[in-house]
Amino acid sequence: MADVNPFYLGAFAVYLLIVLGIGVWGYTKTSDVMDFWAFGQEMGPWLATWSFVANFVSAVSVIGFIGAVYGEGYTLMTHTIFGLMLGTSGLYFAVDRVRNLDLLTFPDIIASVTGYEVARPIAGAVLLGNGWLYLVMQLVGASLLVTAITGVPYEYMVWVIGIVFIVYTVLGGLVSVAWTDFLQGTVMVGAVLLALGYMIFDFGGFTAINQQFAALDSAYVHPTGEGAYTAIGIIATIVAFFGTIFTEQNNIVRIAATRDVRTAKLHLAASGVILSIFYSALVILGGATTVALTTSGLAVDNVDSAFPVLITDYVPTGVGIIIILAVMSAILSTTDTRLHSTGITTARDIYSYFRPDSSDDSQLRVSRIATIAFGITATAAAVNPPGTIIELYNFRAVLLTSAFLIPVYLGLYWAGLSARAILASIVTGATLGVGTEIAGGLFGVPSTFIGVGAATLVLIVGHFLLSDTEPKGGTMAGD
């Protein structure tokens, strides 16, 4: 504790107190379950935009992506970020259909497409796995950063951060989440741009950064890392991250929370512009971080530690505080959203299926209990994480895209598609996608292609085998 920087520790403490205060205020504005789940479906374009931006940018984006650039260079822009931005653009063209369904969750959409209510708990189980992984990633990123700047042992800091975000999310639901996101998104984008401005000034310009980055390794500035990524691998990654935008529970909830279709489309368009600028700046900041640490003899063994080391050992304290606020904003704004989603998924998509006559009050209570349970278990797992941030991020991208992208969105646009085939496709895609990701692929084929390909095959074959043996249309409650 002798190396504690009181300015960093003070900034961190004040930040946590502010978001807790917003959580308490959000509790006073939450009168029923729809307020807790979806802001009463009254979210306007300005709040929706910044909430989406803040939710989108996470520990993966700031710590994980800068760590990825530190280890592999600008290739991150070629596959992962391109896939994310392509997915955001694609969702804009589907958002009117999604919003006009007037459904709250992604499993609601699947049940509507298939006509089978049992689709809700099946899809909900997949989404809970994804949400839990995302919570672990966020806690790892936040705790690595704060441990580096305060000197507090990592295993203690995980629990401090975990308890704070559990409390304010449980208190106000999406009301608390949206307004903290508004604050955090604004701080995050502004602070990252200021930090990049400092690094550009420090190195004498953008060109100087790139020249020194290339001098370290020419592969760093090559779109494919000079062969480090094959064309099929890049395409698979693009598909994986494209699919996550369409299949994230929190994205669907935010669309449902907007007041109308026009607001839903406007907030996606504005968010896409802001995020494109932000990620371009972030990748360049990753290159500058690599140059700064390498030329200063501050190389790190774990790439996830690159950005925290830049803050503690390279930049001045004033700039460091700005960067810390940016990273904490990115982390907490995404963490609370995913945690909020696990509560909705548990209560709306699983509990209410088995208890269809449950009251709004009981569903609200289940949401809050589930939020606490998932938060605590994710915090416990983050004490000894099962992989790096970017590894966990890739894993859940394969899970979501393999399970949902083809069967759900094809079902939205193909009238009469076999409901049972859709359900079989979801289960097959999730199982094979995750299984081959754990195994490292199969016969050199990326796990995304295996999961999506298997889901597509089962969907088409199943449609022709089952379409004449099942009822069409309408929701079959209790089936």
Side-chain angles (χ1 to χ4, degrees):
M1 295 294 292
D3 295 329
V4 169
N5 186 315
F7 296 103
Y8 289 158
L9 185 58
F12 173 65
V14 169
Y15 187 88
L16 292 185
L17 289 174
I18 290 172
V19 296
L20 280 173
I22 294 175
V24 173
W25 173 82
Y27 180 76
T28 67
K29 301 296 181 181
T30 304
S31 59
D32 58 34
V33 72
M34 284 304 293
D35 287 340
F36 188 87
W37 284 348
F39 206 87
Q41 294 190 299
E42 290 295 331
M43 195 179 294
W46 186 248
L47 182 59
T49 296
W50 282 105
S51 183
F52 185 93
V53 168
N55 153 64
F56 201 100
V57 180
S58 62
V60 178
S61 299
V62 180
I63 294 180
F65 282 4
I66 286 179
V69 174
Y70 179 89
E72 300 179 354
Y74 290 155
T75 54
L76 182 77
M77 186 70 83
T78 306
H79 43 79
T80 301
I81 292 178
F82 181 73
L84 290 170
M85 294 301 96
L86 191 64
T88 304
S89 301
L91 185 57
Y92 173 85
F93 295 101
V95 71
D96 54 343
R97 182 171 291 249
V98 173
R99 184 63 182 84
N100 279 327
L101 290 172
D102 199 25
L103 299 172
L104 183 60
T105 67
F106 194 63
D108 280 342
I109 294 175
I110 298 174
S112 175
V113 168
T114 62
Y116 285 91
E117 280 290 296
V118 73
R120 291 170 55 212
I122 292 174
V126 176
L127 290 170
L128 286 177
N130 164 72
W132 188 83
L133 284 173
Y134 222 118
L135 291 174
V136 174
M137 289 187 300
Q138 297 301 100
L139 284 164
V140 170
S143 303
L144 281 172
L145 173 67
V146 180
T147 293
I149 65 176
T150 65
V152 177
Y154 173 86
E155 58 270 22
Y156 299 138
M157 189 51 65
V158 167
W159 285 104
V160 170
I161 295 172
I163 289 171
V164 167
F165 81 76
I166 291 170
V167 168
Y168 83 78
T169 304
V170 166
L171 285 174
L174 193 58
V175 176
S176 296
V177 168
W179 281 108
T180 54
D181 284 354
F182 178 82
L183 167 68
Q184 292 168 153
T186 306
V187 170
M188 174 186 65
V189 173
V192 165
L193 292 176
L194 284 173
L196 176 60
Y198 171 83
M199 297 300 287
I200 290 175
F201 176 81
D202 186 54
F203 282 102
F206 169 72
T207 302
I209 291 174
N210 279 336
Q211 287 174 342
Q212 293 184 60
F213 195 41
L216 295 176
D217 188 337
S218 61
Y220 282 163
V221 295
H222 193 279
T224 64
E226 292 186 340
Y229 285 90
T230 62
I232 191 173
I234 291 172
I235 294 171
T237 304
I238 290 172
V239 171
F241 286 101
F242 172 90
T244 62
I245 304 303
F246 284 79
T247 55
E248 284 276 16
Q249 176 82 309
N250 50 278
N251 288 345
I252 303 302
V253 170
R254 269 175 167 67
I255 290 171
T258 56
R259 62 171 62 116
D260 51 35
V261 172
R262 180 179 179 277
T263 302
K265 292 179 75 71
L266 181 61
H267 98 282
L268 277 176
S271 298
V273 173
I274 295 170
L275 288 168
S276 296
I277 295 170
F278 178 84
Y279 278 120
S280 298
L282 196 65
V283 168
I284 298 168
L285 183 58
T289 298
T290 306
V291 173
L293 297 187
T294 304
T295 57
S296 301
L298 297 171
V300 296
D301 294 330
N302 183 346
V303 296
D304 286 342
S305 300
F307 201 39
V309 170
L310 178 82
I311 298 170
T312 57
D313 296 352
Y314 186 84
V315 302
T317 298
V319 177
I321 289 175
I322 293 173
I323 298 174
I324 289 167
L325 291 176
V327 178
M328 290 307 300
S329 294
I331 292 170
L332 288 179
S333 62
T334 307
T335 303
D336 57 25
T337 298
R338 264 51 180 203
L339 186 58
H340 173 251
S341 294
T342 61
I344 295 177
T345 302
T346 303
R348 168 84 175 189
D349 301 318
I350 298 177
Y351 175 75
S352 69
Y353 171 77
F354 293 103
R355 295 286 183 89
D357 297 326
S358 59
S359 66
D360 286 351
D361 287 343
S362 67
Q363 291 186 42
L364 178 58
R365 184 170 57 254
V366 169
S367 282
R368 285 183 161 138
I369 293 171
T371 298
I372 295 170
F374 276 94
I376 290 175
T377 56
T379 303
V383 173
N384 185 23
T388 66
I389 292 173
I390 201 70
E391 288 171 346
L392 294 174
Y393 192 54
N394 290 335
F395 185 87
R396 42 76 56 185
V398 172
L399 169 63
L400 283 184
T401 301
S402 297
F404 295 135
L405 181 61
I406 296 300
V408 176
Y409 282 91
L410 191 58
L412 276 176
Y413 289 93
W414 182 356
L417 186 60
S418 166
R420 293 177 184 174
I422 291 174
L423 295 179
S425 177
I426 291 171
V427 174
T428 301
T431 302
L432 291 182
V434 169
T436 52
E437 176 69 12
I438 293 173
L442 184 65
F443 304 122
V445 180
S447 55
T448 301
F449 284 166
I450 293 174
V452 172
T456 304
L457 181 63
V458 168
L459 183 66
I460 294 173
V461 173
H463 171 72
F464 290 107
L465 290 178
L466 300 172
S467 58
D468 293 331
T469 65
E470 62 179 313
K472 297 292 192 302
T475 300
M476 298 178 63
D479 193 331

